[in-house]
Amino acid sequence: MPYRAFVVDKRGDEFTAGIRTLDESQLPPGDVTIRVQWSSVNYKDGLASIPDGRVVRTYPMVPGVDLAGVVIESADPRFRPGDGVVVIGYDLGVAHPGGFAELARVPGDWVVHLPEGLTAKEAMALGTAGFTAALSIEALEQHGLRPENGPVIVTGATGGVGSIAVAMLAKRGYTVAASTGKASEHAYLRELGASEILSREEVSAPSNRPLESERWAGAVDPVGGDTTAYLLRTMKYGASIAISGLTGGRELHTTVIPFILRAVNLLGIESVWCPRETRIRVWQRCATDLKPPKLLESIAHETDLEGLPQVLSAILKGQVRGRTLVRLAGDDL
Ligand SMILES: NC(=O)c1ccc[n+]([C@@H]2O[C@H](COP(=O)([O-])OP(=O)(O)OC[C@H]3O[C@@H](n4cnc5c(N)ncnc54)[C@H](OP(=O)(O)O)[C@@H]3O)[C@@H](O)[C@H]2O)c1
């Protein structure tokens, strides 16, 4: 059976990216074959689409670290034809052909049933970014965060992780502050539930002071760099920062003072190799208490394989708002 896929390839110095028609015989080894309905675009997919992005480990590769769809064949007894499933992370889209294709085949251990209350489209409107936002909130709550502790700040708030974190926190009853570099998107962030908006300049300004006034009861930080240093200086006593990303830089210049005088915690968040039991639990929360109310209406927009190059380029420039769904079979199955 032929199927369409967005393929990146590198031969010597020559890098190509575009749509190809592949045959089912070219699918990789795996236990579960999936008709992909929806995928989504993450920052990592942007890196996969450029020659020096350093995330793709073998070429040619179908990028797409997320996919959701319907099982059409399974050698794994946990899955049957017709089951709705979601796969994110692992080697998907970097060392194993990923979600930007009409068909995918993956190991059964990577596959999670769509929880009740979440369609394939909604699962991809969340995708790795939304799952990471949920992991961040779960980690903060495990470290004592409660709505009554005070305001929670979300950095890079118009991005994928940021937008979903704002909406999830607001739904859970938190007072949410959002920092953004996009002056034009304040109304969007307020619609998602932010009650205070800070500029990217304010939260990334360098400072020689090890501590500033205590302000934040918690932080979801997909930005990193100078922004994380700002957060460390301004967290309340005993508060935690869930750090997941590096769009603002990979280096962190700080002191030990916030840790040893204010008992601040810096919590690392990692979605790609997240254990299966945690995955199943967090996807269930994404379908229930953490499910953002206006996920498809406000946060997500759609493209298709033809529209991918433009979105991949925009996400690398920090220009994408919210989440971009990629329609493969769509809801037509
Ligand atoms: N640890 C994990 O498992 C995991 C999972 C998912 C994502 N991530 C990482 O998390 C980060 C965000 O991912 P995403 O999918 O949310 O990406 P995204 O949709 O591109 O969002 C990133 C946001 O960061 C802000 N930003 C961009 N350039 C910046 C700069 N130079 N300085 C400060 N802020 C900047 C922008 O928001 P504003 O314009 O609103 O400021 C942008 O929208 C990436 O580094 C990604 O690799 C990690």
Side-chain angles (χ1 to χ4, degrees), residues 156-230:
T158 69
V161 177
S163 293
I164 304 234
V166 170
M168 285 178 166
L169 284 164
K171 182 177 180 187
R172 295 273 296 157
Y174 288 95
T175 302
V176 186
S179 75
T180 182
K182 299 187 186 81
S184 58
E185 299 294 356
H186 291 195
Y188 166 70
L189 292 171
R190 288 192 190 281
E191 188 193 341
L192 296 187
S195 51
E196 184 182 356
I197 297 178
L198 293 88
S199 71
R200 187 185 295 171
E201 289 71 36
E202 179 177 352
V203 302
S204 60
S207 167
N208 291 327
R209 296 166 64 193
L211 293 173
E212 295 176 33
S213 302
E214 294 183 43
R215 201 163 170 191
W216 311 115
V220 174
D221 180 25
V223 167
D226 290 337
T227 300
T228 309
Y230 159 84

Side-chain angles (χ1 to χ4, degrees), residues 42-245:
N42 289 276
Y43 189 78
K44 197 170 172 185
D45 303 317
L47 294 174
S49 72
I50 55 173
D52 52 356
R54 296 187 186 176
V55 295
V56 173
R57 300 210 297 278
T58 53
Y59 290 97
M61 181 51 57
V62 176
V65 300
D66 292 343
L67 66 86
V70 175
V71 173
I72 54 174
E73 208 179 330
S74 175
D76 184 320
R78 291 172 293 184
F79 304 99
R80 292 184 189 170
D83 285 357
V85 292
V86 55
V87 187
I88 66 165
Y90 299 104
D91 281 334
L92 204 66
V94 294
H96 186 103
F100 297 164
E102 292 167 341
L103 277 186
R105 182 175 290 149
V106 296
D109 282 344
W110 295 5
V111 184
V112 169
H113 280 108
L114 278 173
E116 206 180 312
L118 206 63
T119 64
K121 189 175 187 181
E122 289 170 332
M124 286 296 95
L126 293 165
T128 286
F131 185 82
T132 301
L135 275 180
S136 302
I137 293 167
E138 186 166 272
L140 292 174
E141 290 181 340
Q142 282 168 352
H143 283 79
L145 181 64
R146 300 288 177 269
E148 57 271 24
N149 295 8
V152 179
I153 183 168
V154 176
T155 65
T158 69
V161 177
S163 293
I164 304 234
V166 170
M168 285 178 166
L169 284 164
K171 182 177 180 187
R172 295 273 296 157
Y174 288 95
T175 302
V176 186
S179 75
T180 182
K182 299 187 186 81
S184 58
E185 299 294 356
H186 291 195
Y188 166 70
L189 292 171
R190 288 192 190 281
E191 188 193 341
L192 296 187
S195 51
E196 184 182 356
I197 297 178
L198 293 88
S199 71
R200 187 185 295 171
E201 289 71 36
E202 179 177 352
V203 302
S204 60
S207 167
N208 291 327
R209 296 166 64 193
L211 293 173
E212 295 176 33
S213 302
E214 294 183 43
R215 201 163 170 191
W216 311 115
V220 174
D221 180 25
V223 167
D226 290 337
T227 300
T228 309
Y230 159 84
L231 293 174
L232 285 165
R233 298 193 300 272
T234 53
M235 300 308 288
K236 287 178 182 260
Y237 186 92
S240 304
I241 302 164
I243 180 165
S244 58

